[in-house]
Amino acid sequence: MKQDTATPQAPMLLHLRANLPIVISFACIILLLLLGSLYSENFLSPDYLIQQLKVASFLGVIATGMMLIILMGQIDLSVPWLLTTGAMMASAATAFGPAGEFLAVPFGVFCGFAMGMVSGVGVAYLRIPAMIVTLAMNVIAQGLMVAYTGGFSPSDTASSGMRYLATGNLIGGVPNAILVWIGIGALAVFVLNRTTFGRAVYAIGNRESAAFLSGAATQRLMMFGFGISGALAAFGGVLLAGYAGKAAQSMGDAYLLPSIAAVVLGGTSILGGRGNYLGTVAGVILVTLLQSILSVMQIAEFGRQIIYGLVIVTMLLLYGRERALR
Amino acid sequence: MKEWRFFAAEQRATLLALVLFLVMFIIYVSNHPAGFTPNVVQTASNKGVILAFVAMAQTLVVLTAGIDLSVGMIFILCNCVGSYVLGGTMASALGGAGLVLLTGLGCGMVNGLIVIFGRLQPIVTTIATGAIFFGLALWLRPFPGTVPDFNGDLADLFTGKLFGVVPASLVFLLAVVLVVWVPLSRSVIGRAIYAVGSSDMAAYMSGMPVKLARFTAFAVGGLLAGFGGLFLTFFTYSGEASLANGDNYTLFSIAAVVLGGVSLYGGRGSAIGAIFGALAFRTIGDLLFVFDFDPLWQPLFQGLVLALAVTFGAARLFRIRNRLEMFS
Amino acid sequence: MADGQALLRMEGISKRYGGVHALEDAHLDVHAGRVHAILGENGAGKSTLIKVMSGVVAPDQGRMYLDGREVSFANPAAANRAGIVCIFQELSLIPDLSVADNIIASNPPTRFGLIDRRAQRRLAEEALVKAGGEDIHPRARVGDLPLSRQQIVEIAKALARKPRLLILDEATSALTAADVTRVMAVLKRLRSDGMALLYISHRMHEIAELADECTVFRNGRNVESYEQGAKTDNEVVEMMIGREYRHAFPPKPPRPAEETPPALAVRNLSWTDKLSDISLEVRPGEVVGLGGLDGQGQRDLLLALFGVLRGVTGEIAIDGRPMAIDSPRQAKSADVGMALIPEDRKTEGLMLPMSVLHNLSFAALGRHARFGIIDRQAEATSVDEMIRLLAIRSNGTSIPVSALSGGNQQKVVIAKWLMLSPRIILLNDPTRGIDVGTKQEIYQLLRKLSGEGAAIILYSTDYDELIGCCDRVLVMYDGTIKTELAGDEITEHALISSALNIAPQAGAATGEAGHAPVSAASGSVA
Amino acid sequence: QPEVVAGPSNDAECYVPWSADTKFFQFEKKDGPYRVALANGYIANTWRIQMIQTAKAYAAQPEVAADLKEFKVVSTGEDVAAQISAINNFIDSGYDAIVVNAQNPQAFAPVIKRAKEAGIVLVAFDNILDTQDAINVNVDQKGLGELWAHWLDKHLPDGGKVLEVRGVAGTSVDTDRHNGIHEVFDASGKKWDVVEVVGKWDDGTAQKATADAIAVHGHFDGITAQGGDTGVVQAMIDAKHPFVPFGGETENGFRKFCAAHAAEGLLCSSAGTGPAQVAVAIKTAIDALKGNVVPQSVKLPLAIVEDPDFKDGENFYSAESDNFFVGNSFPTCGINFTAQEIMSQDKADK
Ligand SMILES: Nc1ncnc2c1ncn2[C@@H]1O[C@H](COP(=O)(O)OP(=O)(O)OP(=O)(O)O)[C@@H](O)[C@H]1O
Ligand SMILES: Nc1ncnc2c1ncn2[C@@H]1O[C@H](COP(=O)(O)OP(=O)(O)OP(=O)(O)O)[C@@H](O)[C@H]1O
Ligand SMILES: [Mg+2]
Ligand SMILES: [Mg+2]
């Protein structure tokens, strides 16, 4: 694993074992593209690949938050509606003149952060299982958005800044969305590997009581973890709203299970404490590509679901297996 | 300690779930325009029993410290299968019901086999198999429908009232509890299910049938989800491959299990508790009916009640004097 | 050596973990009606050997014969069926099941296919009686029992399987002296009933009392087997550690003067009904022991000082300044400078799957970080330094800490706190499951730290340790400090009598307290 | 128990029977004011929110309010069992009429039976019930598909490659529209190469699916999408795909695009029925309770706007949100809400 590089004597074998998921998922990505190219050569065209990376970056941003939570041994089921909240709040802010336009993105992200923090309080301080806290938070966020839309008829057009962030091109043909993901990804790698916060995330995921007795502020960190995950989900929503030009109620539905699948396919242990961001990158690209290729190949919906499931199981069987008890 | 104290300690979570449900149900019924009538109870119990089955299914897997994110999809698949095979004469429809249950059992067995021999985490395995099960459901029922000769009499038998008072669905649920849950929980495998969830290493070291226990939990879980799907078919006379519904029932079942006092960390709780959890969860939805909320605020109200109900479980926190106990 | 066919014979057993040879060409003969002790320092391969024997671990090479026939066990259940039952170093109890369920875990009596709980309960009660646990209710949840009671349940569970060969891997390490005596009596009776026993312990006097035959392991290999009594303790220890061995305890320096201001002063500390009205002072350079029977509030006291417990009343002053310590985080802060070596390293001390490096540096991470960013060079340097200082045996720092042997894991726990150079060190039974060589190193380390001005509180279940290490001992009883012993007053006799809260002159209490008589030779060792 | 009678209905202009052999119902006249309930399923999308707002606004109109003692709305989510139970509860609580947007058209047979026994008027709209025993206020979904296909047929004289963005798989609405499209294509005798992707009636999903399809297939000669149309156009713009004839729904955002890019070749047919159909359903229920004759199956007119008829402020609103559905009035039924009236009613209250 990356964070082990400080010790040069680390056995190669361990590295290989830890990196196996990443190697295999990248191999699968290439395999998928090759299979796709049998159907149409355009699957290998730069246009298509850039387009996939752009779409993947939305999932990438969201999966970053999910990975943080999973590393802590928790799970965040509130992604769909925190994402929507971020998108809708950012769009709503746009209606308030230039200041609103300027603050749209931070405001949307902040809303996600705040709601994530509430989940965090439930999980870290009230010790309610994350699965149920975030489920409830998802319902609450949905309720808030329904009441808000119905009651206030907010603006839901994305600001020009949001559009630029998601669809503009700062550098040549590289969409900004990809740059945003690279930025967030780099930050995530840095935080996870090089900061005390990152180290504590792994420690909490491995054994929270030991981390607590070692004097880590486990509860506060966990609460913030949920805050960050909420913020990233909301940021993903902001980007999606920018991409689509507007926020819509149902925009988050398609992101919960794929974000978990991406993280896990990337080799992060669902039990927490083990995982590498590069793996998540691979997982995100893989999931996006798989969905896209199946969609373009016009496989019937039922067939897509089945293939999607089979691919995940097969990949996990290749490298996601736990050690036998003996 | 006296014997009964041990009994109370063992059953505390289940009893709490019962209390939670009763409190909510009393609030509901006492505000219901029709009051406490057999019809109102029948309606509530039909709706509750469907989720109760799925929640029981979830409980078995959760007891092994796993989670089954495909229960909802098994449930949907069984519903779709049911919409094909519950037609014709009483006998053939009953045979069809058996087929529905076998479908559920089969799905559960697939989950179990992958988890055990693939050594994969249940949560990710079932995300994947859930997609597969849903794909199959969609293949069977590209759009909602039913067999032309659907046996509504059989369906009404299970969703109607016995002697005009007792909801048949409740009686049937009780029968399933007695025939499936009670023997299982008192068998060697059942105890191994608890043991695996509590500490799988220790269970293995103790020579308990660890793999069989996991397998059984998934398989019987699938069977129970099949009962849920069967009941949904009885209730709706039809099948529908609804993705949203599958996901919802999965999530609802988790909520029900938590409300029912089953520990998501495994090893603690009972399917009986989960049943009360499911009924309580359903009552949250029913409360909308008796309180006059602006329709646009209803979803928020539901979310808040759910949050409140689960915060209930946090009450034990205030008794904790040693912070290390928080982590277990 | 005993004659006749060995009940169990192992030949040429090897097991590697990555680059580590946990076992290399190991062999062993176990005979019915005898107690065979296995000795060896931490990481010598003892646990691995018995894991092979009981079907938990598959050996890379080697053969096993039961009654002369070759066998291999696919899993613990298979070994159990063959009559080999093991009490593992890590408890194998299921916390959420009842005592009875645990004792009759593998094949309970059934009626109509269902567990016959009445019959099971009877069997469990019998087993509990045999193991000396009459006080344990068969219906109690195991997770609710204290560690020492769980050990008894573990023994009862093993006995309920009617083993031919019973293996105890440090099964007594969590027991109090009184319990140990009872267990010893049980084991002796089993031996006379013709059972074969394999006994692993780091407590030399227990081995001296119980064993018929001993085998010493070092680095995964047999060093020597001998009849108990054929070697002096010093010879044994030297075989184990492979070098010369002198004194267990370093000399005590003169105690700091009475007027030295205390580093830690506690006034009238109380907590629920577990601790009441505790006052104590520890000066820099002083090692203060906590004595008493197990479970008299010693652990709670340490946790209370470290800010883990809620609702603690009373005053705590650090260097004369009153402090309200309400979290471990605050306890380790520069203002307080406290460290706690916790009791259970698996759940409280270590993040087992994480690397040795990350475990070692975790508590002191703040030291190697600026604005939350870790200086990995500095981190690696001080980790290496600690590994050297405590002589931690580890195949690199990037392997998971779970791959270390128990003793080395314990050293990691201690080392990670020493990296903070704490001024007040609380130790909760730090030498449990640790070999004599390592123990000695830890004692010396404690002395060195106190010599450098640290104030130390040491709780130990081992009286010798209190006698050998401490300047003063506070004996606790029922949540309060009953007696304070200082200097030469710290004798075994005094410790025991005050632990039982009886007048010191009641000399007969020694026997009743059941502390195993310390043989002349072992007194100097363990 | 309604009596099956001969038509026509009392308001023949509004209540257009579905087909020539549609039955007419006459319920026993009840004295008002009535207790009417709306059993909604899913709520969390703009269409449904708009629908509920419309229902409330309609019920609050003085002449309607005079007939209503109580108007209760419950949204039970996607779970069809919960919706069935809600209707059962309304039945048991003695409501006079129940209006329902069904989660699943097949699932209500038992409820319909109970409602019939209890003499309660059951009116379904949007997602209607597959029955002859309840009143359906119907959108011709298949006709909608046919309309779009005809539009493409008209503008593509040689046939060609068409992108079909479908809705949520497994729903009858999606299937009906899809069948409508393909029947027309097949009947046209031209060569059509239809590429199907799934947009799930969601702009984001539709946009992504379209972008992928364009990246792989390069060029399409025509597009039809059922919902998510704004996203589809957005994807075309992002991919610099030339504008082509398009048959789609009635989202405001879509119409904005249609108006703006018509000159560049985005020739649209925008058709559908807005959420105001709930008002028609309520009106039908009240009429039935009054003992008036109503058809068992009411055919709603489609609100169709086709190029070059897009007019800002009239059939789309450039200053308003993209998300709402225009075409929210049924003049023949005297229902004349404009969409932004509905969506901003609370804002005005505050
Ligand atoms: N699962 C494992 N993976 C890697 N290495 C292991 C594993 N288990 C044991 N080892 C290594 O094998 C060696 C022997 O360990 P073992 O646990 O048998 O020692 P032990 O004699 O029981 O020590 P202790 O007295 O500390 O319990 C040690 O070096 C240990 O690090
Ligand atoms: N979980 C348990 N662990 C240990 N002993 C138990 C447990 N449950 C029950 N017992 C004991 O086993 C005996 C039989 O219990 P069991 O519950 O089967 O009796 P019962 O008469 O069938 O009672 P019930 O039907 O109320 O459970 C009793 O002595 C009881 O105290
Ligand atoms: Mg050992
Ligand atoms: Mg042991």
Side-chain angles (χ1 to χ4, degrees):
Chain A
M1 265 184 273
K2 196 138 197 154
Q3 61 270 26
D4 284 340
T5 46
T7 47
Q9 75 270 37
M12 283 302 296
L13 227 80
L14 260 153
H15 274 272
L16 197 71
R17 205 189 144 75
N19 288 326
L20 194 63
I22 305 171
V23 174
I24 294 189
S25 11
F26 276 114
C28 279
I29 290 172
I30 292 169
L31 188 72
L32 261 182
L33 284 173
L34 290 180
L35 284 179
S37 68
L38 295 181
Y39 172 82
S40 159
E41 285 186 1
N42 288 336
F43 277 119
L44 296 178
S45 71
D47 267 1
Y48 178 77
L49 296 178
I50 293 264
Q51 150 75 12
Q52 288 320 300
L53 280 179
K54 175 166 134 187
V55 170
S57 48
F58 309 134
L59 181 60
V61 169
I62 296 160
T64 306
M66 184 62 86
M67 178 184 182
L68 185 69
I69 295 297
I70 291 182
L71 278 179
M72 288 206 249
Q74 308 290 344
I75 195 131
D76 187 354
L77 301 183
S78 64
V79 159
W81 282 92
L82 292 199
L83 184 160
T84 309
T85 303
M88 293 187 63
M89 290 297 106
S91 305
T94 308
F96 293 89
E101 179 110 350
F102 180 72
L103 289 175
V105 176
F107 180 65
V109 172
F110 174 78
C111 289
F113 176 75
M115 293 170 98
M117 289 290 271
V118 176
S119 302
V121 170
V123 177
Y125 289 94
L126 301 181
R127 310 304 300 181
I128 313 168
M131 203 165 266
I132 187 80
V133 172
T134 54
L135 182 61
M137 179 47 77
N138 195 45
V139 183
I140 290 176
Q142 170 180 352
L144 283 172
M145 288 306 108
V146 167
Y148 182 67
T149 325
F152 300 89
S153 157
S155 156
D156 47 19
T157 311
S159 72
S160 51
M162 286 157 71
R163 284 211 43 81
Y164 180 70
L165 216 50
T167 58
N169 290 299
L170 188 65
I171 312 172
V174 185
N176 287 348
I178 302 182
L179 297 181
V180 168
W181 184 24
I182 292 177
I184 287 183
L187 195 64
V189 170
F190 182 79
V191 167
L192 287 178
N193 293 324
R194 299 292 300 274
T195 65
T196 52
F197 175 73
R199 203 60 77 71
V201 166
Y202 283 95
I204 291 173
N206 275 309
R207 183 63 79 173
E208 193 183 353
S209 49
F212 170 75
L213 277 181
S214 304
T218 52
Q219 292 180 301
R220 195 153 34 123
L221 294 178
M222 194 179 287
M223 177 181 71
F224 270 105
F226 277 91
I228 293 172
S229 171
L232 285 173
F235 190 50
V238 168
L239 289 176
L240 269 173
Y243 174 64
K246 66 203 182 65
Q249 300 264 352
S250 56
M251 59 199 300
D253 291 354
Y255 284 88
L256 176 60
L257 293 185
S259 67
I260 300 174
V263 171
V264 173
L265 282 180
T268 299
S269 162
I270 194 78
L271 303 176
R274 262 183 303 132
N276 188 323
Y277 192 77
L278 199 56
T280 301
V281 173
V284 166
I285 297 178
L286 189 69
V287 168
T288 309
L289 214 53
L290 186 61
Q291 283 177 342
S292 158
I293 290 182
L294 291 177
S295 153
V296 177
M297 286 171 82
Q298 299 188 68
I299 313 274
E301 172 79 7
F302 80 85
R304 277 195 274 160
Q305 293 277 351
I306 293 175
I307 295 174
Y308 183 64
L310 286 177
V311 169
I312 295 183
V313 171
T314 315
M315 291 202 46
L316 290 174
L317 285 177
L318 282 178
Y319 59 73
R321 309 182 68 185
E322 278 163 54
R323 225 177 292 176
L325 278 174
R326 65 184 250 140
Chain B
M1 276 209 271
K2 297 229 168 55
E3 279 303 305
W4 70 267
R5 280 174 171 274
F6 283 108
F7 178 81
E10 285 158 18
Q11 307 298 330
R12 213 187 73 220
T14 303
L15 294 175
L16 266 176
L18 174 63
V19 170
L20 180 70
F21 162 65
L22 284 180
V23 168
M24 289 172 62
F25 194 71
I26 288 170
I27 294 178
Y28 168 62
V29 167
S30 56
N31 286 291
H32 197 291
F36 188 68
T37 63
N39 272 352
V40 169
V41 176
Q42 179 197 5
T43 299
S45 87
N46 280 345
K47 181 168 82 155
V49 163
I50 296 175
L51 181 61
F53 280 125
V54 184
M56 279 171 80
Q58 187 68 270
T59 305
L60 278 168
V61 180
V62 166
L63 282 178
T64 66
I67 192 133
D68 186 352
L69 294 187
S70 71
V71 266
M73 295 312 178
I74 299 179
F75 163 78
I76 291 292
L77 176 59
C78 289
N79 169 233
C80 291
V81 170
S83 69
Y84 278 105
V85 299
L86 292 176
T89 62
M90 218 37 143
S92 74
L94 273 175
L99 209 62
V100 172
L101 299 182
L102 280 181
T103 307
L105 184 68
C107 293
M109 283 162 71
V110 168
N111 279 338
L113 291 176
I114 297 179
V115 166
I116 292 163
F117 294 108
R119 297 202 302 270
L120 298 182
Q121 276 302 320
I123 181 168
V124 289
T125 307
T126 53
I127 287 180
T129 56
I132 298 174
F133 299 149
F134 178 68
L136 291 174
L138 201 54
W139 174 64
L140 282 176
R141 279 268 169 239
F143 37 87
T146 187
V147 274
D149 59 346
F150 185 86
N151 193 325
D153 292 340
L154 181 70
D156 292 350
L157 202 65
F158 282 98
T159 55
K161 295 188 288 272
L162 290 184
F163 318 113
V165 219
V166 191
S169 53
L170 222 46
V171 176
F172 188 65
L173 177 68
L174 190 69
V176 172
V177 167
L178 288 178
V179 174
V180 179
W181 169 252
V182 171
L184 179 63
S185 65
R186 294 196 159 206
S187 70
V188 176
I189 295 179
R191 198 170 66 189
I193 287 176
Y194 279 90
V196 167
S198 188
S199 162
D200 62 346
M201 199 62 199
Y204 174 72
M205 295 278 217
S206 307
M208 292 176 125
V210 172
K211 287 183 178 167
L212 186 59
R214 280 225 168 81
F215 178 75
T216 309
F218 276 104
V220 178
L223 178 71
L224 288 167
F227 273 110
L230 183 64
F231 244 84
L232 181 64
T233 324
F234 283 153
F235 198 43
T236 62
Y237 287 17
S238 68
E240 182 194 14
S242 156
L243 182 69
N245 237 356
D247 284 341
N248 277 343
Y249 269 86
T250 302
L251 296 178
F252 292 172
S253 73
I254 297 171
V257 156
V258 171
L259 293 181
V262 181
S263 162
L264 286 182
Y265 307 110
R268 262 188 274 184
S270 86
I272 319 271
I275 290 175
F276 293 128
L279 298 179
F281 181 83
R282 284 306 209 179
T283 313
I284 295 178
D286 284 337
L287 289 179
L288 295 181
F289 185 82
V290 296
F291 291 115
D292 224 355
F293 281 106
D294 184 301
L296 291 172
W297 289 88
Q298 287 174 2
L300 181 61
F301 169 78
Q302 270 182 302
L304 291 175
V305 176
L306 177 60
L308 203 68
V310 297
T311 315
F312 221 57
R316 80 174 182 113
L317 204 71
F318 299 101
R319 287 200 318 267
I320 287 186
R321 303 278 90 197
N322 181 343
R323 288 195 178 88
L324 287 178
E325 286 170 24
M326 288 188 317
F327 303 106
S328 49
Chain C
M1 294 279 143
D3 17 70
Q5 192 189 40
L7 173 68
L8 183 82
R9 148 165 274 181
M10 302 175 85
E11 276 176 9
I13 304 278
S14 297
K15 176 75 192 174
R16 287 176 56 151
Y17 288 107
V20 181
H21 284 273
L23 286 176
E24 221 178 333
D25 196 24
H27 55 88
L28 192 73
D29 277 359
V30 187
H31 293 268
R34 287 171 67 86
V35 177
H36 193 141
I38 298 185
L39 296 93
E41 61 180 333
N42 294 126
K46 306 179 295 293
S47 296
T48 309
L49 183 76
I50 58 115
K51 280 182 187 160
V52 168
M53 211 178 283
S54 50
V56 177
V57 159
D60 300 334
Q61 266 168 35
R63 296 158 188 281
M64 247 191 314
Y65 302 89
L66 187 68
D67 296 322
R69 271 195 313 274
E70 182 163 357
V71 286
S72 71
F73 303 124
N75 51 40
N80 282 351
R81 279 193 296 276
I84 300 178
V85 173
C86 183
I87 299 170
F88 295 100
Q89 189 169 2
E90 303 85 22
L91 291 183
S92 63
L93 295 176
I94 295 142
D96 287 313
L97 294 188
S98 72
V99 169
D101 283 342
N102 264 287
I103 292 178
I104 318 292
S106 57
N107 44 10
T110 53
R111 272 176 66 195
F112 315 116
L114 303 185
I115 296 172
D116 181 349
R117 290 204 274 201
R118 224 169 283 273
Q120 166 183 292
R121 181 166 170 167
R122 255 193 327 272
L123 292 173
E125 273 164 356
E126 281 168 24
L128 277 172
V129 169
K130 264 200 248 167
E134 300 87 345
D135 57 321
I136 302 170
H137 196 288
R139 217 171 158 169
R141 190 175 155 269
V142 161
D144 295 337
L145 299 176
L147 206 52
S148 65
R149 299 289 87 188
Q150 291 188 15
Q151 278 282 20
I152 299 287
V153 174
E154 183 88 64
I155 293 171
K157 171 179 161 189
L159 294 182
R161 295 179 182 184
K162 311 238 168 350
R164 300 174 62 201
L165 167 58
L166 177 64
I167 306 165
L168 298 97
D169 188 358
E170 297 184 40
T172 51
S173 63
L175 295 189
T176 58
D179 284 327
V180 170
T181 316
R182 274 150 80 182
V183 170
M184 290 283 161
V186 173
L187 297 182
K188 284 176 186 161
R189 203 183 60 236
L190 294 173
R191 167 175 62 187
S192 59
D193 292 349
M195 193 185 287
L197 293 130
L198 203 58
Y199 193 82
I200 299 177
S201 171
H202 291 294
R203 296 186 182 175
M204 301 289 277
H205 59 258
E206 289 176 7
I207 290 177
E209 188 190 341
L210 194 66
D212 301 305
E213 183 182 349
C214 305
T215 298
V216 177
F217 273 80
R218 190 170 70 233
N219 290 336
R221 293 171 165 277
N222 297 60
V223 178
E224 195 173 337
S225 292
Y226 57 90
E227 287 293 308
Q228 163 62 26
K231 307 267 177 192
T232 68
D233 277 354
N234 253 324
E235 283 171 331
V236 174
V237 171
E238 278 164 17
M239 271 195 282
M240 279 165 58
I241 62 177
R243 61 187 149 85
E244 212 178 319
Y245 177 80
R246 281 187 220 289
H247 289 290
F249 298 105
K252 297 181 191 177
R255 285 204 285 139
E258 286 291 326
E259 57 270 21
T260 319
L264 170 71
V266 177
R267 290 271 155 272
N268 311 111
L269 181 142
S270 298
W271 177 69
T272 62
D273 57 353
K274 300 277 174 54
L275 296 176
S276 60
D277 203 24
I278 290 180
S279 300
L280 60 87
E281 289 184 349
V282 191
R283 277 172 273 281
E286 206 178 18
V287 180
V288 173
L290 290 182
L293 300 172
D294 192 34
Q296 299 303 308
Q298 299 95 331
R299 293 189 166 90
D300 296 326
L301 174 57
L302 296 183
L303 291 179
L305 294 176
F306 203 57
V308 175
L309 304 184
R310 270 199 194 132
V312 175
T313 59
E315 291 161 28
I316 298 176
I318 308 293
D319 292 332
R321 276 170 299 136
M323 285 274 177
I325 302 175
D326 59 8
S327 70
R329 184 177 173 71
Q330 197 194 352
K332 83 168 184 185
S333 68
D335 287 354
V336 182
M338 202 185 273
L340 171 72
I341 315 300
E343 176 186 13
D344 184 352
R345 59 174 172 262
K346 302 233 181 252
T347 63
E348 297 171 353
L350 298 169
M351 282 75 73
L352 283 176
M354 277 172 90
S355 68
V356 173
L357 174 82
H358 289 180
N359 269 285
L360 274 170
S361 66
F362 189 68
L365 211 49
R367 294 230 157 166
H368 305 119
R370 286 186 64 178
F371 310 116
I373 298 168
I374 301 167
D375 177 349
R376 293 198 285 184
Q377 205 54 53
E379 180 191 15
T381 313
S382 38
V383 162
D384 287 343
E385 200 175 300
M386 272 301 148
I387 289 184
R388 257 197 317 280
L389 183 68
L390 270 80
I392 296 172
R393 283 180 32 177
S394 164
N395 184 15
T397 54
S398 66
I399 61 168
V401 77
S402 58
L404 301 190
S405 78
N408 280 302
Q409 290 181 9
Q410 185 68 14
K411 285 197 203 168
V412 171
V413 178
I414 298 177
K416 84 172 191 188
W417 281 106
L418 295 190
M419 280 176 94
L420 271 173
S421 345
R423 285 173 297 155
I424 302 165
I425 306 175
L426 316 175
L427 298 108
N428 192 346
D429 216 357
T431 57
R432 182 151 81 85
I434 285 195
D435 67 57
V436 277
T438 312
K439 272 187 191 169
Q440 187 193 20
E441 291 166 26
I442 290 176
Y443 300 146
Q444 265 153 7
L445 189 68
L446 290 184
R447 256 316 146 199
K448 178 161 160 279
L449 292 169
S450 75
E452 288 163 5
I456 296 177
I457 301 184
L458 168 70
Y459 169 56
S460 173
T461 45
D462 185 344
Y463 291 141
D464 297 324
E465 207 163 282
L466 294 175
I467 298 166
C469 278
C470 300
D471 300 315
R472 282 187 291 142
V473 174
L474 310 174
V475 182
M476 293 187 67
Y477 184 84
D478 200 17
T480 57
I481 295 175
K482 280 283 176 204
T483 323
E484 175 172 341
L485 305 170
D488 296 339
E489 295 163 21
I490 313 175
T491 63
E492 193 176 352
H493 187 263
L495 281 173
I496 293 169
S497 53
S498 38
L500 294 174
N501 199 24
I502 49 180
Q505 46 274 61
T510 315
E512 262 170 57
H515 184 63
V518 186
S519 71
S522 70
S524 65
V525 172
Chain D
Q1 302 291 66
E3 213 177 311
V4 177
V5 296
S9 60
N10 72 320
D11 188 351
E13 213 192 333
C14 175
Y15 302 131
V16 179
W18 183 254
S19 62
D21 51 5
T22 297
K23 291 183 293 185
F24 286 81
F25 283 161
Q26 183 166 30
F27 284 80
E28 203 173 312
K29 182 177 163 44
K30 276 193 191 172
D31 292 328
Y34 309 110
R35 295 173 68 203
V36 176
L38 168 57
N40 178 43
Y42 189 59
I43 183 168
N45 67 32
T46 318
W47 198 98
R48 295 292 175 116
I49 293 172
Q50 203 178 333
M51 180 272 284
I52 288 185
Q53 298 285 62
T54 311
K56 279 181 3 192
Y58 182 70
Q61 290 190 343
E63 63 275 29
V64 181
D67 284 331
L68 294 176
K69 186 156 82 189
E70 186 188 341
F71 180 65
K72 189 170 181 86
V73 184
V74 169
S75 299
T76 44
E78 281 134 326
D79 180 10
V80 69
Q83 195 179 26
I84 293 174
S85 300
I87 296 176
N88 276 332
N89 270 324
F90 283 129
I91 295 173
D92 289 332
S93 307
Y95 281 79
D96 299 306
I98 301 166
V99 178
V100 54
N101 186 344
Q103 277 305 121
N104 163 355
Q106 296 283 335
F108 286 73
V111 190
I112 296 166
K113 211 158 52 179
R114 268 187 85 176
K116 205 169 160 187
E117 279 160 16
I120 287 168
V121 175
L122 190 61
V123 182
F125 69 100
D126 187 27
N127 293 290
I128 45 113
L129 301 175
D130 189 16
T131 178
Q132 299 284 313
D133 290 333
I135 301 172
N136 281 323
V137 173
N138 230 337
V139 183
D140 185 2
Q141 305 290 5
K142 195 170 162 198
L144 197 54
E146 289 166 357
L147 179 90
W148 293 329
H150 280 306
W151 177 257
L152 293 180
D153 185 41
K154 183 171 123 194
H155 288 274
L156 300 173
D158 307 322
K161 195 165 182 179
V162 170
L163 176 66
E164 182 192 357
V165 182
R166 298 191 57 170
V168 173
T171 59
S172 52
V173 172
D174 172 64
T175 318
D176 288 347
R177 292 177 178 180
H178 172 77
N179 290 341
I181 291 170
H182 282 261
E183 276 174 28
V184 170
F185 278 168
D186 292 345
S188 71
K190 296 179 194 168
K191 212 169 118 36
W192 299 99
D193 176 10
V194 181
V195 174
E196 289 175 32
V197 296
V198 175
K200 300 192 174 171
W201 298 327
D202 169 54
D203 280 309
T205 314
Q207 184 178 358
K208 222 184 304 173
T210 307
D212 286 354
I214 292 175
V216 174
H217 289 273
H219 180 83
F220 293 101
D221 302 309
I223 296 182
T224 172
Q226 37 169 313
D229 309 73
T230 320
V232 174
V233 180
Q234 188 70 58
M236 292 168 71
I237 295 173
D238 288 348
K240 307 198 173 54
H241 187 281
F243 289 112
V244 294
F246 195 130
E249 270 224 60
T250 65
E251 300 98 326
N252 192 39
F254 175 54
R255 289 191 174 178
K256 282 192 217 171
F257 277 134
C258 289
H261 300 292
E264 298 146 67
L266 186 63
L267 305 175
C268 300
S269 167
S270 163
T273 57
Q277 45 179 295
V278 68
V280 181
I282 297 170
K283 180 178 155 69
T284 314
I286 293 173
D287 266 331
L289 287 171
K290 286 180 173 164
N292 294 330
V293 174
V294 290
Q296 183 265 327
S297 183
V298 178
K299 185 172 190 167
L300 285 171
L302 290 174
I304 306 170
V305 181
E306 297 188 332
D307 189 70
D309 301 332
F310 292 102
K311 293 212 177 57
D312 194 3
E314 195 172 297
N315 50 31
F316 77 96
Y317 306 88
S318 60
E320 296 284 331
S321 154
D322 281 355
N323 279 336
F324 68 86
F325 292 77
V326 224
N328 207 29
S329 59
F330 294 96
T332 48
C333 298
I335 293 162
N336 287 309
F337 298 109
T338 64
Q340 84 273 43
E341 246 170 52
I342 292 301
M343 289 314 275
S344 50
Q345 62 172 340
D346 282 37
K347 206 150 59 175
D349 290 352
K350 288 186 171 100

